[in-house]
Amino acid sequence: MQYDYGKNKEEHPEPIKVEVKGLVPEWLQGTLIRNGPGLFSVGETSYNHWFDGMALLHNFTINKGEVTYRSKYLRGDSYNSNMQANRIVVSEMGTMAYPDPCKNIFSKVITFLSHTIPDFTDNCANNIIKYGNDYHATSETNYIRKIDPITLETKEKVDYLKYLPVNIVASHTHYDKEGNSYSMGTCIAERGKTKYTLFKVAGGSSPDGAAPLKNAEVMCTVPCRSLLTPSYYHSFGMTDNYFIFIEQPLKLDIIKMATAYLRRVSWASCMKFHPEDSTLIHLIDRKTKKEVGTKFYTGAMAVYHHVNAFEDDGHVVFDVIAYDDNSLYDMFYLDKLKEQMGKNTVYCKPKFRRFVLPLSEQGETGEDLVKLKYTTASAVIEKDGKVLCQGEVLCDGVELPRINYNFNGKKYRYSYMCCVDLSPVATKIVKLDAETKQQIEWTGEDGFASEPVFIPRPDAVDEDDGVVLTVIINAKPREGGFLLMLDGKSFKEVARACLDVDIHMDMHGYFIPDSS
């Protein structure tokens, strides 16, 4: 059973009424919008990496028990340029595009020089984020694209660099109860410094009707430990009083990236994992906007997704999905994906790890400062005053974690994830109880599962009182997939919305309640 990652998908821009089997909860009203690559070849050219594919948005709108579906390609500058040329002319992270060989030598030289300071793609095929009242498709470049989450219409292009000095921005954003957004980006070699910047965007509409990012507030900056090799990151953690940023030894070589076009290699080849280096854990006080005095670190690891973080009795606890190396990215090169679904696949399974950062600096050398009884995670003072943190493994073989977001930044029990025990392609999803370590699984029938999204029941008291939504792609030829709805407590199916459409594998998404 394999998913054809390199197959171009057809868009369905007009709403399709979906057949519902089971009973959709009356309170479940809104739109689940998701994002992921859907187009992998243009004319006679093809992308090298699955992540590079052109963004295909799709959504499920749930209204009074009925469900409609639509999908549409993001009409960004990258998409339009490729379509007009009938070939890939805009570079992506794993695919470097080159000028038409028919161009004259002068045009070629200008094109090559312009790529030494690359103008990144606006493909934005990774996630959906909200700034103010606006929804945007995003990846990790300085460009995002405003969209209509219902019609999937592509709107204006937004450049972070017009508002903030950030060349690269994380795919994942946090939100507080007031609707404010918190994001993180990297400022590369500005005035001889490279730094990480955490910033806040106010919720709601701007008083002057300006773009939400116009009034972005820098919450804090963290200096990069190396000027020209900043850490790669995909997400970060947040509690009521702290930000958690993992500066991992998965690094981008800026000099190599600047010369990648000339050397005819991809930007992804300029990202390298350094197992000999430690992982720095930055704990930033949201009130003072400065790092705490204690220096925390752990062994080398690669982290893409934070699960959650919270404060408890003088400690900051944070949970992540961690890998021993960065082989996950390499696995998604399209020429490797077919091989990797075979029996001889060597897969670096991710681990759900819990780390604990003690807020007290009082202790003796060699002492474990973690005083919480419910975890085996440790934080030991070393001779130089630094604190070596060792994480507790709650489970392994899981990815794409989501929680009840009402508990984001607070002590929680439940997370919902894809099972990637045997390969990075999930055929089942799991609910994990972090307190008891109990797992409940839902297994598909010849299908592949996307990231599960938890929607809390209005006025719910229990953390797991709600519905889990996940898109299931049917592995059988010529059979459509469906939107699966599971009860958050029992993890049993309550309904499914079945489609006669070849649904694409996506990455991340956002649920917009009708009240929004």
Side-chain angles (χ1 to χ4, degrees), residues 450-471:
S450 70
E451 171 191 63
V453 179
F454 181 87
I455 315 300
R457 183 190 302 274
D459 303 319
V461 175
D462 295 336
E463 180 185 340
D464 58 351
D465 185 2
V467 168
V468 178
L469 303 179
T470 184
V471 180

Side-chain angles (χ1 to χ4, degrees), residues 189-242:
E190 183 193 41
R191 298 177 183 176
K193 295 181 180 180
T194 296
K195 58 188 178 183
Y196 310 105
T197 300
L198 280 145
F199 59 93
K200 172 184 175 181
V201 180
S205 301
S206 302
D208 55 0
L213 281 170
K214 183 179 180 181
N215 300 310
E217 174 192 355
V218 173
M219 299 294 289
C220 67
T221 59
V222 176
C224 176
R225 59 173 153 177
S226 52
L227 174 65
L228 296 175
T229 54
S231 171
Y232 170 81
Y233 54 93
H234 186 70
S235 62
F236 63 99
M238 185 175 83
T239 71
D240 288 344
N241 296 296
Y242 297 94

Side-chain angles (χ1 to χ4, degrees), residues 47 54 74-84 87-92 119-124 143 145 157:
Y47 291 109
M54 293 283 94
L74 185 78
R75 260 64 172 185
D77 292 348
S78 298
Y79 178 93
N80 292 332
S81 296
N82 290 339
M83 294 303 107
Q84 185 177 1
R87 65 193 300 270
I88 297 169
V89 294
V90 180
S91 299
E92 301 292 337
D119 187 20
F120 287 122
T121 178
D122 68 342
N123 185 21
C124 304
Y143 293 120
R145 270 284 181 178
K157 182 178 180 178

Side-chain angles (χ1 to χ4, degrees), residues 249 273 275 300-303 322-327 348-351 353:
F273 186 71
M301 63 180 183
V303 171
Y323 294 81
D324 293 332
D325 57 35
N326 70 317
S327 59
C348 175
K349 281 200 299 186
K351 296 179 176 64
R353 288 183 179 169

